[in-house]
Structures are given as C-alpha cells and as structure tokens.
Amino acid sequence: MEYIKKICPVCGNEFVVLKCADDKAVYCTLECLSEAQGSIYNSEILSPLAV
C-alpha cells in the first residue's frame, strides 16, 4: 500500500491517504467537509436522532 500526503483546503492541515483514494479524499475530517458544504451542522452529524 502506498500513501501520499495532502493538504486540506478548509483548515490547511496535512493528512495522509492511500494513493488509490487520492482523488476522493479532499478534506481531512468530516467537520471540514461539512464546513465546505455549508449545509450540515456538527450537531446533526454527532446526534442525527436528537430533536
């Protein structure tokens, strides 16, 4: 297995992904992904059944 280093476009952190998943891995965490989308809040991610 080969790994590569990438930089998250939201927070600027460096993270490591498998080379075969390079094109799919853009953000370092789910939090950065949701921030980039702007439509999902952290409370919805952590507890989707809470009303």
Side-chain angles (χ1 to χ4, degrees), residues 13-25:
N13 287 335
E14 186 177 71
F15 62 103
V16 178
V17 296
L18 283 170
K19 188 170 184 170
C20 62
D22 173 35
D23 57 335
K24 298 174 188 165

Side-chain angles (χ1 to χ4, degrees), residues 4-17 26-29 32:
I4 62 168
K5 292 181 182 180
K6 294 187 78 173
I7 304 292
C8 178
V10 174
C11 66
N13 287 335
E14 186 177 71
F15 62 103
V16 178
V17 296
V26 178
Y27 305 101
C28 63
T29 63
C32 286

